[in-house]
Amino acid sequence: EWYQGLMGTIHEGGHAMYEQNLGDTELSIDSALSMGVHESQSLFWERHIGKSKAFYEWAQPILMEAFNTDDNKFEYSAEELYAAVNAVDFDNLIRVEADELTYPLHVILRYNIERDVVAGKLDVADIPARWNADMKSLLDIDVPDDTKGCLQDIHWSCLAIGYFPTYLLGSMMAAQLAHYCKVAIPDMDDKIKAGEFDEIRNWLTKRVHTHGKRYKSLDDLLLAEVGEELNPQYFLDYLKEKYVPLYKVE
C-alpha cells in the first residue's frame, strides 16, 4: 500500500541522515553510537514527523495529486489520512505492519524468546509453539502458520540475536528527542505543515548525528545533549496524547 511505502521511505531516510552526518573519517568515533540510537533516528522521522497530524496537512494535496485519478478515487482530508495511518489493528500478525500502540508487544515477544534460547531454557525446535502461545497471550491473536509467525523476520536467520530491543529503545529515545526538539523549536508543527524540515534535521544533527561515538552510551548522549538519561515516560505520554483523542478514550 502507498502508506507502507511512504513510511518505509521516511524510516530508512532517518537512518541515512544519521549516517550522512557522522564524521567523514575511518575512525571509530565517527561511526554510529549504537543501533538503539540508529533506530531512534529512523523512528523520529517516521513517527514524530511522518505520522503526525501536521505532516498530513502538508502532504494531503501531494497525495491527492499522486493517487486521485478517474479510475482510483483518493479524496481524503488531512484529518482522515492522519486517522487512517494511525489506526490500531488488533488482528495484525506482522511486526513491520504493526501500529505504534501494539508494536512494543511484538518486540517484547521476540526478546523473551531469544533471551530464553540464549539462556538454554528454550530449544530452537520449540520456538514456533512458544511464539504462537505468546502471540495469543500478549495480543490475543491465533497464528495460522510460521510464515506469519516466527519466520516473518530476517533477524534470527542472519544471527542478529538481541537486535529487536533496539526498536523499543529507539522508540523511547525518539519520543524523548521529539519532546526536546519542540522545546527548541516551538513552531515545529507549523514548520512541518509548511514542509520545512531543515531546522528539525539540523537540530538532530547537532544533538545526535555529529557526535558519533563521542559518548559511551545512549544514556550519556541524552544526558549531555538534552539534560537527562533515557526516560520512557516521554514515549508513554506520546502514545496517550495521540491515541486518547483518536479513539475518544475517556
Side-chain angles (χ1 to χ4, degrees), residues 3-197:
Y3 158 69
Q4 295 289 347
L6 177 60
M7 289 301 103
T9 300
I10 296 173
H11 180 100
E12 299 307 329
H15 282 303
M17 280 184 271
Y18 186 19
E19 291 288 333
Q20 288 169 348
N21 288 297
L22 292 166
D24 190 20
T25 77
E26 297 300 318
L27 298 174
S28 176
I29 194 173
D30 288 327
S31 57
L33 177 57
S34 70
M35 290 315 301
V37 175
H38 227 309
E39 290 299 337
S40 79
Q41 298 310 289
S42 57
L43 292 168
F44 179 100
W45 285 99
E46 176 190 346
R47 295 179 174 181
H48 299 276
I49 305 298
K51 286 191 171 184
S52 70
K53 187 178 295 186
F55 181 82
Y56 287 96
E57 293 193 31
W58 170 69
Q60 188 265 352
I62 300 172
L63 294 170
M64 285 279 289
E65 183 177 357
F67 297 118
N68 191 33
T69 65
D70 291 338
D71 297 326
N72 179 46
K73 293 300 182 183
F74 192 92
E75 298 175 344
Y76 303 104
S77 67
E79 190 75 26
E80 289 172 326
L81 290 170
Y82 170 72
V85 301
N86 287 290
V88 176
D89 182 359
F90 290 106
D91 295 320
N92 174 59
L93 289 153
I94 308 302
R95 175 185 61 84
V96 296
E97 297 176 4
D99 55 85
E100 293 176 87
L101 204 57
T102 59
Y103 186 91
L105 297 175
H106 288 268
V107 173
I108 291 168
L109 177 147
R110 288 155 173 79
Y111 170 69
N112 286 341
I113 290 175
E114 64 185 4
R115 178 197 61 194
D116 287 353
V117 170
V118 171
K121 298 178 181 179
L122 179 68
D123 290 336
V124 171
D126 295 328
I127 288 177
R130 169 69 178 275
W131 181 290
N132 296 349
D134 285 2
M135 280 292 286
K136 187 65 176 178
S137 173
L138 290 171
L139 290 158
D140 196 25
I141 296 175
D142 294 312
V143 181
D145 54 65
D146 290 343
T147 60
K148 292 183 174 65
C150 63
L151 296 180
Q152 66 180 263
D153 300 297
I154 66 168
H155 299 63
W156 292 338
S157 62
C158 66
L159 302 182
I161 308 299
Y163 192 98
F164 287 115
T166 68
Y167 294 121
L168 199 45
L169 289 169
S171 298
M172 292 186 284
M173 183 175 178
Q176 191 164 345
L177 288 172
H179 168 83
Y180 281 104
C181 189
K182 289 181 180 180
V183 171
I185 309 172
D187 61 343
M188 180 172 163
D189 283 345
D190 290 334
K191 290 186 180 300
I192 296 171
K193 290 176 187 178
E196 298 172 0
F197 306 107

